[in-house]
Structure formats: structure tokens, C-alpha cells
Amino acid sequence: MDAQALSLNNSIEKQNPNVLKMLSERGKNIFFPKLGILSQAAQAKGKNINATIGEAVEDDGTSMHLPEFDALINLPCNSIFPYAPSFGKPELRDTWKSVIYKKNPSLKDIVISKPIATNGLTHGISILGYLFADESDTIVLSDLYWENYNLIFENAYNAKVETFELFEKGGFNTSAFSKKLSSIKQEKVLILLNFPNNPSGYTPLKSEIDGIVSEIEKLAKAGKKVVVFIDDAYFGLVYEDNVYTESIFVKLANLSENVLAVKLDGPTKEDYVWGFRVGFITFGIKNGTPELYEALENKTGGAIRGNISNISQLSQSLLQTVYTHPNYENSKLQKFQILKSRYNILKQSFSNTKYAEYFEPLPFNSGYFMCVKLNKGLDAEQVRLQLLNQYSTGVIVLGSVIRLAFSAVPQAKIPTLMENLYNACKDLDKS
Ligand SMILES: Cc1ncc(COP(=O)(O)O)c(C=O)c1O
């Protein structure tokens, strides 16, 4: 093992030996290289002649670039063309950290790591697979989940995904969650929680959240080493008052020295910048010290450097500029209101009792999506094809449920979407 990795591992072990046990073999081996090219380039910064960096520089010291870009982007040259650090642009990392506290006031003064920038949340999840998932590990997910988790945890890292039933009697199925957790035999338990959930559009209610946390606490008390990946991709898009609006990260980041909470979030869905490819990884654990977080950040930065080197400078600069714009909050609220009104119309439309003959909503209160389950033995894939071919309407089938992305449908078309779904089901009803 490289001496730099060893030194990070020693630091982690000294601060909290449980965390070292949570890392995968890859995670134990990785480090962000402080020696070599990066440190030599850092030492040469500001010198009269700097022949270290792998970028091209104009005679006046600015980034070499093609002038055609100048009319397209209204940002300083050094916010566009140079590489960004593997950890992300420092000012954006600071902004995002303060935003996490602002959006999650119950965090109060709990100490968390500095967010590390990733190439969107997908890349963040993959980096967590790299750092924490070995072949023998199991990742616990709800049975309604974003299918890309399989590609990441199973195909890339050969870990195993196991699911629990998300719903019981119209709400979060705490007993199924508990049962699944207690069936994991390994000392290390990896859990992934995604609220608002893709595909169901469900976020636990205020009345449910402590029950979920207490199941995780039970594991910790039994001596398990628990890593909870918290996929907050749709954070903030909550449309009902009885829903828990902060991230469950708040409840887990200071729960136990046996529970490492890892928050995955970013502007992709919250700020409507899907193509920018920026996300963040943030760690929180009870009694987490700056030294522990620094070691984890270094391992994360090293994994990123070894995978994609660093994230788009331009995307990060655009975000930082918009986050400090005086109209940002207001513009964001306006977009939220559009999604909320689509949600409201969709929700109201279920008061039309005729729909229940063919389909019923699964619980939903947040996010971009909702799901319906079909009645009368209707086949979801056949309904999807009927919608496509006869009603010019596209939906997603996931097993036996149909997912409707109300985020992508204008409010005026939502009643037609519902009617089309009803009619497609009626066409196929053989009873
Ligand atoms: C639950 C969930 N997590 C993560 C992502 C991916 O986010 P990103 O585009 O930032 O990689 C998605 C995208 O659909 C998602 O639904």
C-alpha cells in the first residue's frame, strides 16, 4: 500500500476506527497524491517562469483559448478554461456547504465535511461504490428505486442490492425496512435512502422519520458499522405540509460513531441544470473531527482524480455566479411553484373515482414523479404501448407500476394524460 494511503488510514483509525472498517479495499488503498506532479506544480505557482502545468498559456499568462468562445460566455477567462481542482472549486464548495446548513436548519452546529464536487450525483454514487462497496457487501434499497443503482453497485463493484418493500398502508414500511436490515449478516451494512424517491415521488412524513432513524440506530447499537448513502437528488421539491422537509442526513450525521452519513446532492434537479454535471458528496458522523473529514475528503478526491480528474470548471463557475445572484432564490421559487401546481392538478385528478377501476396512485408528495399501480390484472407494458401507439403519450414502466413524470408535463396537459391512461386501460380491459 502507498505510504500516503497508509497515512490517511492511520489518521482515520486514530479518529474513529469504525470508519476504517467501513471502507472497501479500494477505499483503503486510495489517496489524493500530495507528492509528485501536483505538489511540484503547487510550489511553482506565482513564479516568474512556470513550466509545470499541463495547460497552454498565452504570452500574457492568461489561459490559451479560441476567440470564438469569447462572445458565448460572459465570465472571466480563468473561470472557464483551466482545470478545476479534483475536490471542486473552493468557493463553490464553501457556498454549497453553507447552503446545506441553510436548507437543513436542524443541523445547527453539527460538524460535517466540506462537500466534494462530483460529475453529477451519478458519479458521486459511483465514487461511493468505489470507496465503500466490496464484492461481499450488500446495499439495502427500497423496492422502488432508480435503476442506475444496479449498474453502479452490482455491475461496476460486484456488490449485491437487496430491497425492502417501500410502502405499507399508504406510508413508509418501517417494519419491512427493519426486517431487511436485521437480515444482513455482515458487520458492515450499506444503506441507500433516496427521498424524494425516484420513481414513487415519496418522502417520509414528519411522523415517520424518527422510526426510520431508530432502525438505523438499533444496528449501530448492535455494533454494526453502517454507511448510509443519502441520495438527495430531488431535495426541496416537497409539496405537502406533513412531509419531513429536511434531509434525513440531519438525523444521521450525529447519530452514532458507528454510522457514517454520506449526503449526495447537487444542482442537477434542484436548480434545473441536468447537463451541467455537478454534484456533491458530504460526510457526517458523530464526533467527526476535521482530521477525520480531511482524510475522507482526500480519499474521495483521490478516487475522483483517478476516475475523471476533475469536474467542469465552466459549470462550477456558472453555478457559483448564479448562487450569489440577488434574484436566485426568487427565480428558484417560481420554478418550484410550476412543479407544485402540476403536482396539485395531478393529485386532484384522482378524486375522479372512475380512475380507480383501472389504476390507483402509490403514495406521493414530492419530487418529479409519481407511480400508479394497475388493477384488473392489466399488464403495465401493454398499457404503455397502447398509450404510445394510440394516444401519443409516453410513460415509463417499472415492473408492474407505471411512472408518470409530472415534472415534464405542462399543467394544461395533465388532465389529458390521466384520460389517456384511463382510456388505454379501458381498451385493454378484457373483463
Ligand atoms: C434518484 C436519483 N439520483 C441521482 C440521479 C442522477 O443525478 P445526476 O444527473 O446529477 O447524475 C437521478 C437522475 O435521474 C435520480 O433520479
Side-chain angles (χ1 to χ4, degrees):
M1 187 180 288
D2 188 282
Q4 294 175 81
L6 210 53
S7 148
L8 291 178
N9 293 348
N10 288 340
S11 169
I12 291 173
E13 191 164 35
K14 204 168 124 209
Q15 301 298 323
N16 180 342
N18 306 323
V19 175
L20 192 63
K21 293 187 181 160
M22 296 172 190
L23 291 172
S24 65
E25 284 311 304
R26 271 186 216 89
K28 290 192 179 98
N29 275 300
I30 194 70
F31 59 94
F32 187 79
K34 289 238 161 95
L35 313 171
I37 291 181
L38 292 173
S39 78
Q40 293 175 34
Q43 286 167 8
K45 227 174 173 180
K47 298 292 176 201
N48 190 25
I49 297 176
N50 183 354
T52 63
I53 55 169
E55 294 179 19
V57 175
E58 300 282 2
D59 289 350
D60 69 357
T62 59
S63 281
M64 191 170 281
H65 67 278
L66 307 179
E68 287 74 18
F69 287 112
D70 290 337
L72 297 177
I73 314 164
N74 184 18
L75 283 172
C77 219
N78 63 359
S79 298
I80 305 170
F81 300 104
Y83 286 129
S86 291
F87 296 80
K89 285 187 70 144
E91 58 274 35
L92 183 64
R93 297 178 67 200
D94 287 340
T95 301
W96 195 259
K97 186 168 181 179
S98 63
V99 161
I100 289 179
Y101 280 101
K102 196 170 158 201
K103 290 173 180 168
N104 297 280
S106 313
L107 260 184
K108 292 193 179 125
D109 48 9
I110 295 174
V111 184
I112 59 174
S113 80
K114 232 180 175 190
I116 301 131
T118 59
N119 197 40
L121 277 87
T122 311
H123 175 235
I125 299 162
S126 175
I127 288 294
L128 296 182
Y130 183 113
L131 292 174
F132 297 102
D134 279 318
E135 287 197 15
S136 55
D137 289 329
T138 302
I139 291 103
V140 175
L141 298 174
S142 65
D143 58 350
L144 292 162
Y145 65 91
W146 185 43
E147 57 172 20
N148 209 3
Y149 297 147
N150 289 113
L151 287 185
I152 296 171
F153 293 116
E154 296 192 324
N155 296 67
Y157 297 111
N158 287 323
K160 205 163 113 208
V161 161
E162 285 200 20
T163 61
F164 64 94
E165 255 177 76
L166 180 56
F167 295 125
E168 187 195 32
K169 296 190 197 121
F172 188 89
N173 192 340
T174 311
S175 60
F177 183 52
S178 169
K179 216 164 140 196
K180 179 52 70 181
L181 292 184
S182 52
S183 74
I184 307 292
K185 296 287 165 268
Q186 292 99 318
E187 186 189 16
K188 176 169 47 163
V189 183
L190 303 176
I191 304 169
L192 194 154
L193 299 175
N194 164 229
F195 309 127
N197 173 259
N198 174 5
S200 69
Y202 191 75
T203 299
L205 309 183
K206 289 173 187 159
S207 56
E208 292 173 324
I209 204 83
D210 286 337
I212 300 171
V213 173
S214 113
E215 293 306 325
I216 296 170
E217 192 172 21
K218 275 186 211 158
L219 289 181
K221 285 194 168 145
K224 299 271 190 178
K225 312 296 170 234
V226 190
V227 188
V228 190
F229 305 142
I230 301 153
D231 181 340
D232 281 341
Y234 300 89
F235 184 84
L237 297 166
V238 166
Y239 312 119
E240 301 283 350
D241 290 339
N242 58 349
V243 173
Y244 186 70
T245 49
E246 294 185 58
S247 168
I248 196 167
F249 179 73
V250 164
K251 301 262 182 191
L252 299 174
N254 195 32
L255 184 68
S256 157
E257 290 190 357
N258 273 341
V259 177
L260 179 65
V262 194
K263 185 170 175 21
L264 291 140
D265 54 16
T268 308
K269 315 277 181 178
E270 292 188 41
D271 291 314
Y272 314 106
V273 289
W274 309 275
F276 276 28
R277 311 314 302 142
V278 176
F280 296 94
I281 293 176
T282 310
F283 298 101
I285 188 165
K286 193 181 177 82
N287 299 324
T289 57
E291 292 79 8
L292 177 66
Y293 290 138
E294 201 186 314
L296 287 171
E297 287 167 36
N298 265 288
K299 286 192 172 282
T300 312
I304 290 170
R305 179 160 166 82
N307 274 272
I308 57 164
S309 193
N310 52 68
I311 321 303
S312 160
Q313 169 81 253
L314 177 57
S315 293
Q316 293 185 69
S317 300
L318 286 169
L319 287 164
Q320 176 65 13
T321 310
V322 165
Y323 289 155
T324 49
H325 193 286
N327 289 349
Y328 164 68
E329 297 283 355
N330 193 29
S331 303
K332 187 166 174 168
L333 187 62
Q334 285 179 22
K335 301 299 175 200
F336 170 80
Q337 295 298 357
I338 294 173
L339 294 193
K340 187 172 178 182
S341 49
R342 292 176 187 172
Y343 164 86
N344 282 335
I345 294 283
L346 185 58
K347 186 133 200 223
Q348 276 161 25
S349 63
F350 282 99
S351 58
N352 186 339
T353 48
K354 77 172 184 186
Y355 294 142
E357 184 182 1
Y358 294 124
F359 54 87
E360 286 165 74
L362 295 182
F364 71 115
N365 51 29
S366 53
Y368 278 24
F369 311 107
M370 62 85 59
C371 290
V372 295
K373 79 173 168 51
L374 300 177
N375 293 335
K376 292 191 142 182
L378 287 165
D379 180 79
E381 177 59 10
Q382 278 180 18
V383 173
R384 185 185 77 83
L385 292 175
Q386 183 75 358
L387 277 167
L388 264 187
N389 299 330
Q390 302 301 325
Y391 297 92
S392 189
T393 299
V395 298
I396 295 285
V397 164
L398 297 161
S400 60
V401 300
I402 289 182
R403 187 188 77 178
L404 306 178
F406 56 84
S407 59
V409 182
Q411 189 178 324
K413 288 189 177 175
I414 287 180
T416 317
L417 168 66
M418 295 294 283
E419 278 303 295
N420 289 353
L421 181 56
Y422 175 80
N423 288 323
C425 291
K426 200 170 173 193
D427 296 344
L428 298 170
D429 179 14
K430 299 212 173 64
S431 62

